[in-house]
Amino acid sequence: AGFLAAGTDKTLVGILIEGQTPAPRSAVMRDGRPVGHTLDSLYSPALRQPIALGVLDVYAPGAGLSVGGVPCRTCALPFL
C-alpha cells in the first residue's frame, strides 16, 4: 500500500529549500495560500542544501513555492 490513500488529492514530494531547514509540519505556501506541509526536513550534505519530504495538493506547481517565507521547489524522489 502507498503512503497516501487512493483517490486523495495530495501527493508525496521532495522539496529543495533555498534557506534554513524548516520545522516539521511547516506550511508550504503558494501566493500566500497553503498548498501542503512538510513532514520532515534536514540538511543534505550531498546536495548542499536543506531538503524535506512534503505532502502537497496535486495541483501545486514545482516552483513558486515557499516554506517559512523561504523559496523552495519540488523535486522527484529519491533526491539523488
Side-chain angles (χ1 to χ4, degrees), residues 18-46:
E18 299 177 19
Q20 299 263 343
T21 304
R25 310 253 341 137
S26 293
V28 178
M29 309 292 282
R30 179 175 183 260
D31 298 328
R33 295 183 178 186
V35 294
H37 63 273
T38 62
L39 296 173
D40 200 5
S41 57
L42 54 83
Y43 179 81
S44 168

Side-chain angles (χ1 to χ4, degrees), residues 2-77:
F3 176 76
L4 300 173
T8 185
D9 62 348
K10 306 285 185 184
T11 188
L12 181 67
V13 297
I15 301 173
L16 300 173
I17 302 153
E18 299 177 19
Q20 299 263 343
T21 304
R25 310 253 341 137
S26 293
V28 178
M29 309 292 282
R30 179 175 183 260
D31 298 328
R33 295 183 178 186
V35 294
H37 63 273
T38 62
L39 296 173
D40 200 5
S41 57
L42 54 83
Y43 179 81
S44 168
L47 297 176
R48 297 183 180 166
Q49 72 181 104
I51 59 174
L53 285 177
V55 177
L56 301 183
D57 297 340
V58 171
Y59 64 83
L65 301 172
S66 67
V67 60
V70 176
C72 64
R73 63 184 170 87
T74 59
C75 67
L77 293 173

